[in-house]
Amino acid sequence: MSTTADTTEQAGPREWLGLAVLALPTLLLSIDVSVLHLAVPHISEGLNPSAAQMLWIIDIYGFLIAGFLVTMGTLGDRIGRRRLLLIGAAAFGVASLAAVFADNPAMLIAARAAMGIAGATLMPSTLALIINMFRDGRQRGVAIAVWVTMFSVGIALGPVVGGAMLEYFWWGSVFLLGVPIMGLLLVAGPILLPEYRDEEAGRLDLTSVALSLAAILPIIYGLKEIANDGVGPIPVLALVVGLVVGVLFVRRQRTLTSPLLDLGLFGNRTFRTALITLLLSMLVAGGTYLTVTQYLQLVGGLSPMKAGLYLLPAAFALIVTAVVSPMAASRFRPAYVVAAGLAVSAIGHLMLSLADSSSGVAQVVTGFAFVYAGGGPLIALGTDIVVGSAQPEQAGSAAAISETSTELGMALGVALLGSLGAAVYRSGVDVPAGVPESAGDTLAGAVEAAQPLSSEGATALLDSARAAFTDGMNIIGGIGVFVALASAVLVAAVIKLPATGRDGDGDPADSDGSTDGALNAAAVEG
């Protein structure tokens, strides 16, 4: 059983201050994802990495976060979530300093790898601690809503903060953000955050850890390679290897008395539905974010910093709807609140599907804001449903599953929808003879290829390239409409939680209306 805390106790000032502390690493990790892309030209100039080394500098961080989430979530259940969080914070701060002063590509790759492993300890630990700190269902909903909005804020602020730092300082400065934030966490964490762990958990199965890494890492790698270079034998082989090892991982978990991943969590229909909906929504969000950010810069002509500012309305919209949705769920069924939000997202995707290359950025920015506004209820309430379906001592595992679903969904979106957009671009762009082939591969390549051309030639190439790119965004927007509406119907039909969203003890009700906060044996077998 978990240590401390009465399950019916209301959270007090200490818990809310602790939530503010837990929001900091969440904000930092999301900023870190977006800010690195701005620093790529500066890193190339300063360290002169090869193309392969630059790809590893960019990708190794996300690879290892995704790969270690399940392991770290379960490890936190065993050794204590606060302890794991503080260990990860210290490691992240040290790794950030190593990245700041890296003087060769290999050192930077190693530092980014260490940051990825440390980052994997932070996300499930913060979410699991929130579940344990806020036992009242309504308070927990608000706390999770605050926590999840930090992702959007960080992604939107990344280009702004990164652009400002790169304008006045050297490329290593973008990694300095992690040092004071992790320092504050190390100081305030032991004071404001309680410790929780599963006292009855067994030993960590190292074979399962190896299998989970051997399953997740090849899948993420394959998806990213397909997104970058299209379908090829190596990424396809990586996907196959990951899926095969994933099957072996699942089979092993069924034989263990203390598995790395409790497959019984998937026996809850409400849990499954919320998880699938989160996965699909993140898939669409990944492809949409990739497309919209490129549109603003390469079609709309905005600088990275200005593009980041234009994304702030979407971030603000997500914050508002995510924070308001738990209050709405106290009066209406959470499924209806989520479904209504998804309908709003569908409107935003529809606006993106109807935009053209000459209509300016206003329609795209507005449509993207609708997409984010509609996603707020799903992210807040959906995450609450997923992690709230587990026993308190399993909160780390449930949080890891939720975070892995998000990471996998984003990777799938970038790979699948990014590849689709690239295919539409290649089929639609008209590249004149004598122009480099790169103009026919990406819009960025066309922009670069147009620089030495005459005014008329450059205009013709860019008009064609921008129109072809926008056609791809339109198709992705159409897919977003379908996914949002289908998910809305699925959620409304399957998730039957009552208007309060919780029973009297603060545990979620099962999909048939019965209490299932602990995922009892009947739910597991069902």
Side-chain angles (χ1 to χ4, degrees), residues 4-91:
T4 77
D6 176 18
T7 57
T8 61
E9 185 176 324
Q10 293 277 319
R14 179 187 177 189
E15 283 75 20
W16 291 108
L17 287 173
L19 175 63
V21 173
L22 293 176
L24 291 175
T26 306
L27 178 66
L28 172 65
L29 291 179
S30 57
I31 288 178
D32 190 82
V33 170
S34 57
V35 75
L36 179 66
H37 292 278
L38 290 178
V40 166
H42 303 269
I43 294 173
S44 296
E45 182 179 353
L47 298 182
N48 193 29
S50 66
Q53 287 175 325
M54 180 56 71
L55 286 176
W56 279 112
I57 290 171
I58 295 172
D59 290 337
I60 191 67
Y61 176 78
F63 282 170
L64 293 181
I65 281 186
F68 277 93
L69 276 173
V70 171
T71 297
M72 295 304 181
T74 305
L75 182 61
D77 289 341
R78 286 164 166 77
I79 71 171
R81 287 138 202 172
R82 186 182 68 182
R83 177 185 296 179
L84 181 65
L85 177 66
L86 296 179
I87 292 172

Side-chain angles (χ1 to χ4, degrees), residues 463-484:
D463 285 347
S464 174
R466 287 166 176 162
F469 179 86
T470 306
D471 288 342
M473 184 180 72
N474 296 155
I475 293 176
I476 293 173
I479 294 173
V481 172
F482 173 79
V483 171

Side-chain angles (χ1 to χ4, degrees), residues 243-285:
L243 292 174
V244 171
V245 177
V247 171
L248 297 177
F249 172 79
V250 170
R251 293 182 63 179
R252 181 170 180 83
Q253 302 316 293
R254 295 185 185 277
T255 66
L256 298 175
T257 57
S258 182
L260 182 69
L261 178 64
D262 184 4
L263 299 180
L265 291 169
F266 295 92
N268 185 324
R269 185 173 59 175
T270 298
F271 176 92
R272 291 196 308 267
T273 302
L275 195 66
I276 291 171
T277 305
L278 281 169
L279 175 68
L280 291 175
S281 296
M282 290 302 103
L283 186 154
V284 173

